[in-house]
Amino acid sequence: MSNPQFPFAARMDGLSGSAIREIFKLLRLPGMISFAGGNPAPEALEEAVITDVAQHVMSQDGKAILQYGPTEGYGPLRVRLCDWLRGFGFSPTTEEVLPITGSTQGIDLVCKALVDPGDAVLVENPTFLGALQTLRLYQANIVPVVSDENGIIVQALEEAMRKYRPKLLYIIPTFQNPTGVTLAEDRRAPIAALAEKYGVLVLEDDPYRDLRYAGRPMPAIKGYDQAGWVAHLSSFSKTIAPGLRCGALSADEGLIRKLAICKQSVDVHTSTLTQAVVSEYLARRLLPGHLADIRKLYAARLAAMLEALAAWPEGTRYTTPLGGLFVWVRLPGGMDASELLSRAVEKGVAFVPGSHFYCQDAQADTLRLNFSNSEPDKIRRGMAVLQELIREMPG
Ligand SMILES: Cc1ncc(COP(=O)(O)O)c(C=O)c1O
């Protein structure tokens, strides 16, 4: 096979994506216990329900669904999204909501519309790997802001806004990926106020909000947004099905118009069949019941994982999330999580070393554990393997 040397654009410099892809290849090995992905449980994917919903929408509106549609989205879905988003603590109009092809696309569109090479973008550190990848593709100057167990520290955020004059703050306030941490309620209004004061768009990525297993829900940062400086991303990937590729971006109407221009050149519009399926799913009020089922399923898995972690060697530290899909762990004695992964994979267990989620100052002794994708028994077995390996490893 030839090996052409393609003249790649500068934005591709240093973007290999290989380390994490190698981990995900391992997951296909038979018998592997995976704490690596962020996938819903197979039991949570309702193929019979979705088939029924899809058949219904095709029989009702098949010609329109199969035709090109408006970039701004399928009308009935926009209306239902407005209703659903009220539960997040804000009430958009249909013009303030854009159906998107997964929240991944929302991150891309906002970067496309706002970020020039070298522009400062503030992030939590660690943060979602997919967002880091997108920010790197847009050649952003990615600047970390310090967080504690209650999320980003408001004073540190204001200092960073003053110092770097960023275009954007990218933040996952609820059950963060990768740490599972939730931004305290009393930090939310101040963040919205800072966005307005410094003219920085807050991109609030909120795919885990409905996966709450304890405590009471709190309004999104967008709920405190007086002047349109917060753009909110939601997704049905973690609740209905990631393969549908459907989410929603809620923002100021003028910003939505610009993002729709960007979207035209990406995919013209999100698949109308997908939008119609999600619209009908919401119209039938299937989501609350389904959420109740998967919350129960995942809460038991989280409990199994936390119970196993309590037995790990002294010095292990970990978050105790109230929702979401991940627990974040710091190994005892500065142990290297990548070294642990190499050993774990030989014993049939996989996870993602935490270093991949940092934009700088990567902490090698951290790891992210996903609990949604394995039954409690499997979780206990996999966690016991890791526990044993940690005991054997030189600290
Ligand atoms: C914080 C965050 N944002 C976005 C996504 C991607 O979601 P989607 O499937 O809606 O593109 C994920 C998935 O893991 C995530 O954790």
Side-chain angles (χ1 to χ4, degrees), residues 118-283:
D119 280 347
V121 175
L122 307 181
V123 297
E124 295 157 290
N125 195 31
T127 190
F128 173 46
L129 195 59
L132 285 177
Q133 173 113 328
T134 305
L135 290 169
R136 288 180 184 130
L137 271 169
Y138 285 97
Q139 300 170 284
N141 171 24
I142 306 172
V143 179
V145 182
V146 183
S147 300
D148 60 19
E149 66 282 3
N150 290 310
I152 224 163
I153 297 172
V154 174
Q155 200 182 351
L157 177 63
E158 177 153 22
E159 277 161 28
M161 284 187 176
R162 218 181 279 134
K163 181 166 173 197
Y164 295 98
R165 294 278 153 196
K167 287 270 183 77
L168 269 185
L169 161 67
Y170 170 77
I171 184 168
I172 310 157
T174 302
F175 316 132
Q176 203 242 17
N177 179 4
T179 61
V181 164
T182 292
L183 180 72
E185 192 161 357
D186 63 4
R187 295 187 187 183
R188 295 180 177 226
I191 291 176
L194 285 180
E196 184 181 349
K197 179 172 173 191
Y198 291 95
V200 176
L201 184 74
V202 173
L203 180 53
E204 178 178 25
D205 193 1
D206 205 9
Y208 300 108
R209 180 197 159 84
D210 282 335
L211 298 180
R212 175 178 280 279
Y213 319 126
R216 88 192 145 75
M218 52 183 93
I221 301 172
K222 179 79 182 150
Y224 298 98
D225 179 27
Q226 305 285 332
W229 283 100
V230 182
H232 180 271
L233 291 175
S234 53
S235 172
F236 295 103
S237 288
K238 311 296 179 180
T239 51
I240 305 180
L244 288 176
R245 310 306 304 134
C246 190
L249 196 157
S250 311
D252 165 78
E253 203 181 319
L255 180 59
I256 292 280
R257 278 198 296 272
K258 290 283 189 195
L259 297 175
I261 294 170
C262 295
K263 187 168 163 65
Q264 275 163 18
S265 67
V266 177
D267 62 359
V268 185
H269 59 77
T270 296
S271 153
T272 311
L273 179 54
T274 278
Q275 293 187 71
V277 165
V278 172
S279 178
E280 178 65 16
Y281 190 94
L282 294 174

